């Protein structure tokens, strides 16, 4: 057995070194595609987690008419304070709404310059007592009927929009990831095919003297696996980098309130790395397996 | 005979077995018992003589210790003991064929199959090769040789089977080329 492991490692090593450019290309492609797989897994987990968060954090946004009078605004405020259904109320005057507006759209200076605080409505951020959707809904309806109230928006709806966008984005990431995995399989296939061709004399002699089929195939399958696993190793680093970047840019930033919800824990990151290695190994084995069965006549 | 190619018609039996009916995974065993030598030697140009022979033993899973023992032995047998470290391109045609024979015989197969072994060699060298094959035959190994070399057939006077268009037209115990 010792000679076989020794032999396989030696042969695989020389195969890899011989065609380094092709090997390198294959590994990089695997790495990029697997990083996308990891990222989409994490985002998916985050979306799942966030549904739970939202369910316990229903919010109502009561938007006043820009032309509403002070009495009307006070009346709404009083109604909210008196209501047994309301847990917390927060009033956003025009300046505060404008501040929030500026933060949300800070990368669109033209938009900010075209809007003045007077153009923006005032609003009440309402946290209902109940988490029951029906009760919250009827609370919203009764608030909407008050004078001066333009519209009542449900955080859930707003959040659902964000959810939908992120899910769509995630689908695109998955789609791209899948295409890249297919490209990886092709590249590995090509690399192994080249390796088989380069070793055709040795293979012929091995066949003639009666080497077992798997013995002849093994170094090439091993080579494919190396591509897949090395790519996975790089992708593991990529996943961790993605994790750090996401946390830094979205979770800890106050303005992306709802994107805050999309978070995952270390366990998820570990899981994504495990997935990456499994998919990497499969990609490598499939790519080389197909090449070997098509080009290695036994 | 080693199932490199399949016959269009008819069957081939080797050592009592119909090799056409052999399942794929049994073919390596057949080939281990049919050592092959070819007109073009089929040596690996990047390995030296000893490594070429060792390669065949590695391929069938022999341990390093056994290989270390067997290779010098077989090289002595074929008369290339002193050339173990030479590369194939440093050898003459006759010497390369000897390496080929060494590789085919090192595992003591039942049959040594030689396909035009002297095809690329001059008459003088061919004699040497035939002497070697004769020596191998004396150890009990069956030697099956395909050849167009009239001189060798007439000299050796062994069993001659003549084929014409895939048909056996003659089978003589001590035959000549005709």
């Amino acid at each position: 057995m010792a000679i076989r492991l020794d032999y396989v490692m030696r042969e695989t090593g020389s195969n890899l070194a011989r065609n380094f450019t092709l090997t390198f290309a294959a590994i990089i492609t695997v790495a990029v595609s697997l990083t996308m797989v990891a990222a989409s897994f994490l985002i998916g987990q985050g979306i799942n987690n966030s549904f739970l968060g939202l369910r316990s954090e229903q919010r109502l946004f009561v938007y006043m008419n820009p032309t509403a009078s002070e009495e009307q605004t006070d009346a709404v405020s009083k109604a909210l304070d008196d209501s047994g259904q309301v847990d917390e109320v927060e009033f956003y005057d025009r300046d505060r709404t404008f501040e929030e507006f500026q933060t949300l759209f800070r990368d669109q200076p033209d938009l900010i310059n075209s809007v003045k605080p007077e153009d923006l409505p005032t609003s009440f951020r309402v946290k209902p007592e109940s988490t029951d959707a029906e009760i919250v809904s009827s609370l919203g309806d009764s608030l909407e009927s008050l004078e001066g109230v333009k519209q009542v928006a449900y955080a859930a709806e707003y959040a659902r929009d964000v959810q939908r966008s992120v899910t769509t984005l995630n689908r695109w990431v998955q789609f791209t990831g899948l295409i890249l995995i297919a490209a990886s399989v092709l590249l590995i296939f090509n690399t192994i095919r080249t390796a088989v061709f380069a070793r055709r004399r040795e293979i012929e002699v091995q066949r003639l003297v009666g080497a077992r089929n798997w013995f002849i195939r093994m170094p090439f399958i091993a080579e494919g696996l190396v591509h897949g696993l090395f790519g996975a190793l790089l992708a593991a680093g990529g996943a961790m980098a993605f994790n750090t970047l996401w946390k830094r840019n979205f979770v800890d930033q106050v303005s992306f309130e709802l994107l805050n919800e999309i978070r995952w824990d270390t366990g998820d990151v570990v899981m994504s790395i495990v997935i990456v290695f499994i998919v990497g190994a499969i990609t490598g084995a499939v790519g080389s397996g197909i090449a070997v069965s098509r080009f290695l006549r036994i | 005979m080693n199932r490199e190619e399949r016959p269009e018609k008819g069957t081939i039996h080797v050592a009592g077995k119909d090799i056409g009916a052999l399942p794929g995974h049994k073919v390596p065993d057949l080939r281990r018992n049919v050592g092959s030598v070819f007109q073009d030697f089929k040596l690996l140009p990047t390995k030296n003589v000893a490594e070429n022979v060792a390669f065949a033993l590695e391929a069938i899973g022999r341990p390093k210790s056994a290989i270390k023992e067997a290779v010098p032995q077989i090289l002595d047998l074929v008369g290339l003991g002193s050339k173990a470290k030479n590369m194939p391109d440093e050898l003459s045609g006759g010497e390369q064929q000897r390496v080929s024979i060494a590789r085919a015989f090192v595992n003591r197969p039942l049959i040594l199959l030689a396909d035009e072994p002297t095809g690329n060699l001059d008459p003088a060298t061919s004699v040497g090769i035939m002497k070697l094959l004769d020596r191998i035959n004396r150890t009990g190994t069956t030697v099956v040789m395909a050849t167009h070399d009239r001189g060798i057939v007439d000299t050796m006077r062994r069993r001659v089977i003549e084929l014409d268009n895939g048909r056996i037209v003659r089978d003589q115990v001590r035959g000549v080329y005709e």
Side-chain angles (χ1 to χ4, degrees):
Chain A
M1 254 315 167
I3 193 182
R4 292 190 195 146
L5 192 64
D6 186 43
Y7 165 79
V8 171
M9 277 172 51
R10 240 187 308 131
E11 295 291 300
T12 309
S14 78
N15 277 349
L16 286 168
R18 180 182 315 109
N19 222 326
F20 187 66
T21 319
L22 210 47
T23 301
F24 188 69
I27 292 180
I28 293 291
T29 311
V30 172
V32 172
S33 64
L34 291 180
T35 306
M36 306 204 99
V37 169
S40 77
F41 170 76
L42 288 174
I43 295 179
Q45 287 294 95
I47 291 176
N48 280 344
N49 292 342
S50 69
F51 270 133
L52 303 168
L54 277 172
R55 249 174 246 136
S56 59
E57 268 186 56
Q58 280 273 35
R59 290 236 196 99
L60 292 173
F61 295 82
V62 182
Y63 288 100
M64 302 301 296
N65 249 319
T67 55
S69 67
E70 261 214 61
E71 288 99 33
Q72 287 169 330
T73 313
D74 287 339
V76 172
S77 181
K78 187 161 189 305
L80 286 168
D81 288 335
D82 291 342
S83 171
Q85 307 239 17
V86 172
D87 185 16
E88 277 171 33
V89 182
E90 223 183 320
F91 179 66
Y92 274 42
D93 65 11
R94 291 206 165 78
D95 291 323
R96 193 157 166 200
T97 309
F98 187 63
E99 258 179 53
E100 191 185 55
F101 185 78
Q102 280 179 313
T103 328
L104 274 174
F105 295 102
R106 64 184 179 292
D107 52 350
Q108 293 185 54
D110 295 329
L111 185 60
I112 293 180
N113 290 336
S114 68
V115 170
K116 295 187 289 294
E118 305 90 78
D119 302 327
L120 297 170
T122 61
S123 61
F124 293 89
R125 284 357 183 203
V126 176
K127 186 166 177 228
E129 273 285 354
S130 166
T131 53
D132 186 302
E134 271 198 39
I135 298 183
V136 169
S137 175
S138 69
L139 170 65
D141 286 340
S142 67
L143 289 171
E144 211 162 37
S145 64
L146 294 175
E147 267 193 40
V149 172
K150 173 142 191 210
Q151 193 183 7
V152 174
Y154 297 84
E157 259 171 43
Y158 174 44
R160 230 168 276 139
D161 287 337
V162 174
Q163 214 90 216
R164 216 171 292 139
S165 310
V166 177
T167 307
T168 310
L169 171 71
N170 207 23
R171 294 248 186 281
W172 277 105
V173 172
Q174 285 170 345
F175 182 64
T176 313
L178 241 89
I179 297 207
L180 282 175
I181 289 187
S184 308
V185 171
L186 235 102
L187 258 175
I188 293 178
F189 168 82
N190 225 22
T191 311
I192 304 299
R193 181 172 64 143
T194 310
V196 166
F197 185 73
R199 309 280 292 172
R200 61 195 181 288
R201 278 204 208 112
E202 280 89 343
I203 294 171
E204 189 188 8
V205 171
Q206 284 175 327
R207 241 181 42 235
L208 278 170
V209 303
R212 300 244 175 257
N213 296 353
W214 55 258
F215 180 86
I216 304 180
R217 289 192 177 121
M218 208 151 54
F220 298 103
I221 306 283
E223 192 181 332
L225 275 173
V226 165
H227 289 153
L229 291 174
F230 258 91
L233 197 65
L234 291 175
M240 294 197 284
F242 173 75
N243 180 42
T244 312
L245 278 169
W246 182 276
K247 288 220 164 81
R248 195 182 303 154
N249 285 328
F250 294 138
V251 175
D252 298 335
Q253 289 272 40
V254 173
S255 55
F256 284 96
E257 221 178 283
L258 283 155
L259 280 179
N260 278 358
E261 309 279 340
I262 300 178
R263 60 180 71 191
W264 48 78
D265 56 43
T266 320
D268 290 323
V269 178
V270 170
M271 189 56 170
S272 75
I273 293 182
V274 169
I275 292 179
V276 151
F277 271 100
I278 293 178
V279 176
I282 295 178
T283 307
V286 167
S288 59
I290 300 179
V292 159
S293 65
R294 282 193 61 188
F295 297 106
L296 214 141
R297 301 188 312 112
I298 296 284
Chain B
M1 274 181 65
N2 60 3
R3 243 181 76 159
E4 268 294 282
E5 288 182 30
R6 306 273 220 145
E8 281 165 38
K9 274 195 316 194
T11 57
I12 301 178
H13 292 254
V14 174
K17 290 205 181 90
D18 178 358
I19 63 173
L22 273 184
H25 65 272
K26 289 255 169 86
V27 173
D29 290 307
L30 167 70
R31 293 191 180 149
R32 290 182 193 198
N33 269 310
V34 178
S36 309
V37 174
F38 297 90
Q39 189 172 350
D40 59 356
F41 321 137
K42 291 204 199 297
L43 296 180
L44 299 173
T46 56
K47 292 187 194 290
N48 68 27
V49 166
E51 286 164 351
N52 259 287
V53 179
F55 184 75
L57 291 170
E58 274 175 5
I60 57 179
R62 290 270 178 277
K64 270 212 177 95
S65 51
I67 297 180
K68 264 180 100 164
E69 231 190 271
V71 171
Q73 253 182 38
I74 196 77
L75 289 180
D76 280 333
L77 183 75
V78 304
L80 289 177
S82 58
K83 305 242 172 170
K85 297 266 197 276
N86 289 66
M87 303 299 284
D89 59 5
E90 296 168 3
L91 302 175
S92 69
E95 287 168 333
Q96 288 186 52
Q97 193 60 293
R98 284 172 190 269
V99 179
S100 216
I101 294 173
R103 182 177 65 190
F105 189 56
V106 70
N107 216 24
R108 300 297 186 273
L110 289 175
I111 300 172
L112 191 71
L113 187 60
D115 188 1
E116 302 277 7
T118 60
N120 282 345
L121 306 175
D122 61 69
T125 319
S126 303
V127 171
I129 295 297
M130 288 317 298
K131 285 208 176 117
L132 174 57
L133 289 176
D134 185 38
R135 257 208 321 276
I136 287 174
N137 181 224
R138 282 180 215 277
T139 69
T141 306
T142 306
V143 177
V144 178
M145 190 171 107
T147 188
H148 292 285
D149 193 330
R150 176 180 289 269
I152 286 182
V153 178
D154 291 349
T155 314
M156 301 295 291
R157 284 253 174 178
R158 297 299 181 83
R159 180 175 172 191
V160 170
I161 298 173
E162 186 180 332
L163 295 172
D164 184 19
N165 268 347
R167 297 204 123 79
I168 295 179
V169 297
R170 177 162 62 103
D171 186 349
Q172 243 180 325
V173 173
R174 281 177 62 85
V176 289
Y177 195 90
E178 267 169 44

